């Protein structure tokens, strides 16, 4: 019965080698395999892409133009698809009004509650909406913060007016506004501002009363620099140019709104209370506390609203986000937190028969919280949907109805179905995942000794409770603790007090032309290889030259940027993604054209390109487990974990001076068997005299630490204390989540 499963025949997207598989519907299916084996190519680029494409086809053409374009997968047949919802770790929107409360709809129900119950009684629920003129604070338009001039950045006190003391564009000598200040005879043009009187500086900035006290009074129309700046830049309804916006960023800062103090609502709505609390107070409570409070509201006419609100709050707590407040701006959430918020949102939806695709839901989660996340996935399944999860954590695999392993290797060595069955069967399977599952990494018995220490004293950032720790230098330190316990906050303190090099998971480059070739700087060497072999100019092989495909300008793909959705790419039809004109592609080295070189993986290139300089430069990518990356692959397609490893590779290449490195969950996206590679790289950094501090949940990494700092015990205000500092081997017999997970 085809409709009981998603049937795939002959899938060839990216590295998939004509893969056939039947994925059961209405089940929790976990996709495993080494990094680069083809899991994403199957789940995202084949299943999600085909479902997205077919769904788009059902819309009329004018609507279709506004939908994300999907590149159709290379596959002979797919059947049994339903609409796909992808839940990934991409951060939730950059809109300042988006909060945990608004994206989970909890805020909607809280508003309803206030409109029905609050004293004084207010009526309509949009009175409690900060996006609605009826409810928003008039001073900040519902943003909770206001943009104010950063006056301290306006002036360079060591310069005179003549020398350009006013840093704002247009205010220096020769600038449009200059004469308004310099030529009126009120201000001294040649004396550095530091030597002016306080009043004179006040007058320059603000005019008005301060100016009236000066010997040479300015003309009546004189407008202080600050007033003028604010009139031109801030209090204008014009669409501001890119340059003006940059000026605003440079010379302003955001302050909490002086009227609503961040509550975002107008006076009437702000002061109305339920159970003695305002809506602002409730939105700043931790979700768990708020749930307790809402629990005490028993009025019958609001029972459905209370039930809906309670369900959202409970889902957030279950998924390990009970420490957040509804008022928290989504822009400040981590990738893992963003993903879990999206899950809460979908749990509240009443759509059934959907296919949810979830990318590594355990990222950012302590082992003690993984169970609850799997439970949520099971709930989604039990409501009648199909759940496809890409995951490396055995604790999630253990809950799968079925496991699909793609492999056996990465890139060209992968792309095949190597296992399909239950977790129990996988444990005995002779596949990379099966073998890795039966391997056990013991606790480090011979930890390195620190060469010194980096002290953090009395840290109180976010939830930290006067934390003082000594982080040893010259060793591998792991920071552990449940999500929200304060690991990132402590790491931020470490960075603020000592210079540390933060190797994070943010994009390596947003430039689509950035590839392993450009990033490692081997492009000139490759061009030279072709040029010398054929006695032609090296420039011919550059993507910015006449040799490049004229239609895609040497990109190989055409991008559509959509104002309100993610941009999408399709392969260039002219060059079929080969980026160069046929004339250029005629030239070969070792049988490879310049386009073929793009198609080589790092590992293949090391074998096939006869150039020591190239091999040395890209060898570090292989060292960090990225040997499967294709040389021409746009770095903007990399996952967060891959970006982080690319950056580690760069450090391996560059650094000799002892440096402190801070990494947040470097195992993200790594197969169990790749964790060993990562540990070797971290050990390599330490052995060269560097200090490495990692925030990590992966127990294999925790066991290999020289030094452990465990924070907790709980999230938010239930955490923020140091539970343990010392060797991992000595951490035993304690009831803390990390200690329990280590002995399990
Ligand atoms: P996994 O999800 O198992 O880590 P992927 O499906 O991302 O593996 O990658 C499988 C192979 O396909 C890798 O060799 C990778 O470099 C390649 N690949 C991934 N995305 C693209 C892409 N957009 N274009 C070309 N090759 C890709
Ligand atoms: P961890 O890294 O252990 O997950 P964090 O250090 O990120 O924990 O968070 C500790 C506490 O501080 C949590 O209660 C979190 O909600 C809060 N917090 C973290 N970042 C911010 C922020 N930018 N604004 C407000 N609260 C924050
Ligand atoms: Zn306000
Ligand atoms: Zn082209």
């Amino acid at each position: 019965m085809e409709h009981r499963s998603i049937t795939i025949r002959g899938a060839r997207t990216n590295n998939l080698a004509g893969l056939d598989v039947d994925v059961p519907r209405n089940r929790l299916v976990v996709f495993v395999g080494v990094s680069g084996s083809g899991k994403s190519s199957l789940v995202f680029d084949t299943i999600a892409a085909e479902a997205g494409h077919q769904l788009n086809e059902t819309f009329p053409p004018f609507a279709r133009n506004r939908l994300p374009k999907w590149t159709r997968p290379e596959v002979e047949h797919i059947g049994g698809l339903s609409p796909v919802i992808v839940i990934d770790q991409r951060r939730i929107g950059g809109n300042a009004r988006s909060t945990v409360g608004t994206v989970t709809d909890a805020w909607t129900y809280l508003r309803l509650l206030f409109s029905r119950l609050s004293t004084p009684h207010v009526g309509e629920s949009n009175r409690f909406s900060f996006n609605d003129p009826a409810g928003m604070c008039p001073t900040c338009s519902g943003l909770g913060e206001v943009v104010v001039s950063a006056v301290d950045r306006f002036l360079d006190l060591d310069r005179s007016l003549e020398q350009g003391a006013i840093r704002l564009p247009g205010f220096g000598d020769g600038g449009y506004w200059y004469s308004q200040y310099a030529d009126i005879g009120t201000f001294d043009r040649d004396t550095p501002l530091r030597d002016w009187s306080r009043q004179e500086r006040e007058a320059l900035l603000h005019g008005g009363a301060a100016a009236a006290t000066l010997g040479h009074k300015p003309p009546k129309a004189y407008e202080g620099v600050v007033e003028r700046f604010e009139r031109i830049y801030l209090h204008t309804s014009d669409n501001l140019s890119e340059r003006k916006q940059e000026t605003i960023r440079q010379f302003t800062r955001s302050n909490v709104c002086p009227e609503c103090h961040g509550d975002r609502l107008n006076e009437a709505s702000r002061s109305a209370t339920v159970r003695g609390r305002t809506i602002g107070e409730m939105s700043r409570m931790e979700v768990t506390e708020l749930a307790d409070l809402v629990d005490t509201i028993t009025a019958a006419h609001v029972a459905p609203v209370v039930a809906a609100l309670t369900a959202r709050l409970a889902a957030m707590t279950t998924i390990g986000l009970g420490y957040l407040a509804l008022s928290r701006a989504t822009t400040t959430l981590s990738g893992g937190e963003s993903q879990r918020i999206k899950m809460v949102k979908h749990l509240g939806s009443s759509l059934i028969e959907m296919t949810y695709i979830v990318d590594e839901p355990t990222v950012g989660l302590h082992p003690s919280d993984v169970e609850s996340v799997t439970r949520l996935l099971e709930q989604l399944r039990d409501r009648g949907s199909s759940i496809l999860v890409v995951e490396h954590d055995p604790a999630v695999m253990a809950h799968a109805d079925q496991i699909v392993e793609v492999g056996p290797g990465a890139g060209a060595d992968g792309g095949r179905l190597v296992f399909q069955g239950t977790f129990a069967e996988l444990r005995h399977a002779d596949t990379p995942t099966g073998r890795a599952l039966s391997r056990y990494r013991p606790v480090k018995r011979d930890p390195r000794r620190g060469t010194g220490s980096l002290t953090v004293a009395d840290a109180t950032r976010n939830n930290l409770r006067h934390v003082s720790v000594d982080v040893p230098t010259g060793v591998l330190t792991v920071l552990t603790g449940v999500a929200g316990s304060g690991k990132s906050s402590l790491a931020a303190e470490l960075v603020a007090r000592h210079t540390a090099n933060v190797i994070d998971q943010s994009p390596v480059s947003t430039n689509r032309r950035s590839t392993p070739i450009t990033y490692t700087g081997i492009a000139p060497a490759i061009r030279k290889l072709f040029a010398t072999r054929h006695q032609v100019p090296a420039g011919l092989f550059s993507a910015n030259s006449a040799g490049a495909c004229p239609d895609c300008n040497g990109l190989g793909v055409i991008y559509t940027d959509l104002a309100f959705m993610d941009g999408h790419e399709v392969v260039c039809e002219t060059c079929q993604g080969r980026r160069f004109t046929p004339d250029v592609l005629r030239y070969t080295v070792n049988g490879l054209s310049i386009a073929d070189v793009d198609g080589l993986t790092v590992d293949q290139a090391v074998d096939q390109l006869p150039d020591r300089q190239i091999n040395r430069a890209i060898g570090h990518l292989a060292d960090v487990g990225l040997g499967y990356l294709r040389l021409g692959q746009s770095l903007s397609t990399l996952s967060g974990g891959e970006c982080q490893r690319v950056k580690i590779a760069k450090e391996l290449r560059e650094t000799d001076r002892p440096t402190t490195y801070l990494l947040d969950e470097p195992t993200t996206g790594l197969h169990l068997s790749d964790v060993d590679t990562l540990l070797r790289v971290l050990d390599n950094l330490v052995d060269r005299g560097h200090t490495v501090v990692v925030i990590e949940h992966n127990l294999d990494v925790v066991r290999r630490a020289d030094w452990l700092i465990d924070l907790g015990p709980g999230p938010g205000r239930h955490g923020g204390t140091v539970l343990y500092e010392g060797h991992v081997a000595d951490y035993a017999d304690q009831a803390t989540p990390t200690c329990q997970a280590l002995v399990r």
Side-chain angles (χ1 to χ4, degrees):
M1 286 226 301
E2 173 172 299
H3 67 278
R4 298 313 312 155
S5 56
I6 302 169
T7 54
I8 296 165
R9 293 292 174 269
R12 300 193 175 278
T13 311
N14 298 331
N15 72 329
L16 298 181
L19 184 140
D20 300 337
V21 65
D22 291 350
V23 180
R25 293 196 52 83
N26 301 107
R27 293 285 179 270
L28 174 58
V29 182
V30 176
F31 291 78
V32 303
V34 300
S35 311
S37 62
K39 302 178 294 296
S40 311
S41 300
L42 175 60
V43 176
F44 293 97
D45 302 343
T46 304
I47 298 177
E50 180 63 17
H53 177 84
Q54 289 194 21
L55 197 61
N56 285 3
E57 295 286 293
T58 66
F59 289 95
F62 73 90
R64 225 179 289 161
N65 283 336
R66 296 168 168 269
L67 294 169
K69 306 252 179 307
W70 292 93
T71 300
R72 269 200 114 154
E74 267 186 71
V75 59
E76 281 158 26
H77 167 85
I78 303 194
L81 286 178
S82 60
V84 166
I85 292 172
V86 175
I87 307 182
D88 58 15
Q89 288 151 23
R90 234 177 292 171
R91 312 274 160 127
I92 303 168
N95 179 346
R97 290 176 206 240
S98 160
T99 63
V100 166
T102 58
V103 296
T104 58
D105 284 345
W107 177 256
T108 309
Y109 294 110
L110 197 59
R111 270 196 291 133
L112 271 172
L113 203 63
F114 269 76
S115 63
R116 305 256 169 92
L117 282 185
S118 67
T119 40
H121 192 70
V122 209
E124 313 145 63
S125 77
N126 59 0
R127 293 232 168 255
F128 288 96
S129 166
F130 50 70
N131 291 325
D132 192 302
M136 66 172 59
C137 164
T139 303
C140 62
S141 307
L143 287 172
E145 47 185 46
V146 287
V147 174
V148 297
S149 298
V151 178
D152 52 312
R153 295 180 208 154
F154 279 28
L155 304 178
D156 182 346
L157 296 182
D158 293 326
R159 291 171 188 250
S160 65
L161 288 181
E162 194 92 342
Q163 293 165 327
I166 304 176
R167 292 196 176 111
L168 298 164
F171 288 73
D173 190 6
Y176 180 71
W177 301 110
Y178 180 67
S179 57
Q180 308 281 330
Y181 303 92
D183 295 344
I184 56 176
T186 306
F187 301 109
D188 180 339
R189 300 157 64 135
D190 306 311
T191 312
L193 268 47
R194 192 179 293 292
D195 300 330
W196 289 22
S197 74
R198 212 188 148 73
Q199 265 149 335
E200 285 168 329
R201 283 197 300 263
E202 262 314 284
L204 177 72
L205 288 171
H206 298 288
T213 66
L214 300 179
H216 282 279
K217 286 195 189 33
K220 272 212 155 47
Y222 176 77
E223 189 183 25
V225 173
V226 174
E227 278 65 34
R228 187 174 296 253
F229 169 77
E230 292 181 352
R231 181 167 57 79
I232 310 168
Y233 286 92
L234 302 185
H235 308 152
T236 168
S237 50
D238 295 352
N239 282 329
L240 293 175
S241 66
E242 191 64 35
R243 225 182 74 224
K244 280 198 170 179
Q245 289 181 31
E246 181 50 41
T247 305
I248 292 179
R249 273 191 289 277
Q250 216 177 324
F251 293 103
T252 63
R253 58 169 63 94
S254 289
N255 278 359
V256 170
C257 170
E259 182 187 334
C260 66
H261 301 287
D263 281 356
R264 303 171 175 224
L265 296 169
N266 64 28
E267 168 68 30
S269 313
R270 244 176 15 240
S271 47
T273 58
V274 166
R275 283 273 183 279
R277 306 248 192 179
T278 66
I279 195 167
E281 285 166 350
M282 287 203 194
S283 73
R284 283 190 296 274
M285 290 166 79
E286 284 182 11
V287 160
T288 42
E289 280 182 287
L290 179 59
D292 290 346
L293 180 73
V294 171
D295 228 25
T296 65
I297 300 172
T298 50
H301 70 293
V302 290
V305 181
V306 168
L309 180 56
T310 302
R312 295 301 154 100
L313 301 178
M316 286 175 67
T317 308
T318 313
I319 208 159
L321 294 177
Y323 60 92
L324 293 179
L326 297 187
S327 63
R328 179 78 171 268
T330 49
T331 48
T332 66
L333 298 177
S334 70
E337 286 170 333
S338 304
Q339 185 183 42
R340 276 172 276 145
I341 287 282
K342 291 182 208 173
M343 276 159 93
V344 171
K345 191 177 162 69
H346 289 297
L347 272 174
S349 110
S350 40
L351 298 171
I352 62 159
E353 296 289 341
M354 307 295 281
T355 298
Y356 289 95
I357 296 187
V358 192
D359 189 15
E360 249 193 307
T362 62
V363 168
L365 276 189
H366 192 271
S368 63
D369 287 327
V370 169
E371 289 289 315
S372 35
V373 169
T374 2
R375 218 169 305 132
L376 278 187
L377 294 174
E378 288 168 341
Q379 281 179 27
L380 266 180
R381 172 198 63 194
D382 294 342
R383 291 216 323 248
S385 288
S386 308
I387 319 293
L388 315 188
V389 186
V390 176
E391 181 59 71
H392 298 287
D393 189 334
V396 175
M397 296 180 203
H399 285 266
D401 296 309
Q402 193 174 82
I403 296 173
V404 172
E405 178 164 356
V406 184
D413 300 325
R416 292 184 293 266
L417 179 69
V418 294
F419 173 86
Q420 190 170 17
T422 64
F423 184 59
E425 288 160 358
L426 179 63
R427 298 178 77 102
H428 303 290
D430 187 21
T431 68
T433 306
R435 289 192 295 270
L437 282 172
S438 50
R439 203 178 317 143
Y440 180 78
R441 292 167 188 77
V443 168
K444 192 178 240 177
R445 290 288 160 192
D446 51 347
R448 300 180 185 87
R449 302 185 137 269
T451 53
S453 66
L454 304 170
T455 301
V456 174
D458 200 34
T460 55
R461 187 184 292 248
N462 295 325
N463 70 335
L464 298 180
R465 299 194 182 186
H466 300 278
V467 165
S468 298
V469 290
D470 283 329
V471 179
T473 52
V475 305
L476 172 61
T477 296
V478 176
L479 276 181
T480 54
V482 299
S485 60
K487 300 179 297 295
S488 316
S489 304
L490 180 59
E493 282 297 314
L494 185 71
V495 172
R497 298 178 194 209
H498 306 274
T499 28
N501 191 343
V502 181
I503 307 184
D504 61 12
Q505 304 196 352
S506 62
V508 176
S509 160
T510 48
N511 182 349
R512 281 149 185 163
R513 283 179 191 269
S514 179
T515 65
I517 293 181
T518 59
Y519 191 77
T520 53
I522 57 168
I526 292 179
R527 290 199 287 267
K528 206 174 113 216
L529 201 62
F530 278 84
T532 24
R533 188 69 60 96
H534 298 281
Q535 299 297 310
V536 291
L540 205 55
F541 305 96
S542 156
N544 309 314
S545 77
C549 166
D551 285 322
C552 60
N553 295 318
L555 276 175
V557 285
I558 311 267
Y559 290 94
T560 353
D561 265 325
L562 298 155
F564 54 97
M565 283 183 197
D566 299 327
H568 269 262
E569 62 171 66
V570 283
V571 173
C572 169
E573 284 178 12
T574 311
C575 64
Q576 296 294 324
R578 294 174 68 77
R579 311 203 297 134
F580 290 91
T581 61
D583 283 346
V584 174
L585 294 172
R586 274 199 340 253
Y587 300 108
T588 59
V589 168
N590 287 5
L592 302 165
S593 72
I594 184 85
D596 295 334
V597 171
D598 280 347
L600 294 179
T601 64
V602 166
D603 284 338
Q604 289 168 335
V606 171
D607 286 345
Q608 297 179 28
L609 292 181
D611 187 291
R612 216 153 28 98
Q613 189 196 341
I614 293 176
N615 292 351
R616 196 160 0 101
I618 60 176
H620 293 307
L621 286 172
D623 292 343
V624 296
L626 291 173
Y628 60 88
L629 285 187
R630 289 176 321 99
L631 291 189
Q633 194 167 334
S634 168
L635 294 183
S636 63
T637 66
L638 298 191
S639 68
E642 287 172 325
C643 288
Q644 194 176 38
R645 289 194 290 285
V646 168
K647 293 177 195 173
I648 299 175
K650 184 170 187 203
E651 295 301 329
L652 286 174
R653 181 170 91 223
E654 286 185 349
T655 320
D656 286 322
R657 200 166 40 83
T659 306
T660 301
Y661 292 106
L662 180 75
L663 294 90
D664 189 357
E665 241 187 319
T667 61
T668 303
L670 278 189
H671 186 258
L672 295 165
S673 62
D674 298 328
V675 171
D676 292 328
T677 313
L678 176 78
L679 279 165
R680 264 199 302 280
V681 170
L682 298 181
D683 278 334
N684 181 341
L685 281 172
V686 172
D687 291 340
R688 293 185 190 192
H690 302 307
T691 300
V692 180
V693 180
V694 300
I695 295 175
E696 189 51 82
H697 297 291
N698 183 300
L699 294 172
D700 288 333
V701 175
V702 178
R703 289 191 188 96
R704 304 302 297 164
D706 295 310
W707 194 255
L708 179 69
I709 299 175
D710 190 29
L711 290 174
R717 68 193 168 84
H718 308 288
T721 54
V722 176
L723 302 178
Y724 181 78
E725 283 178 271
H727 298 309
V728 187
D730 302 333
Y731 197 15
D733 303 328
Q734 298 201 28
T736 63
T738 303
C739 196
Q740 293 297 307
L742 277 168
V743 297
R744 217 178 20 222

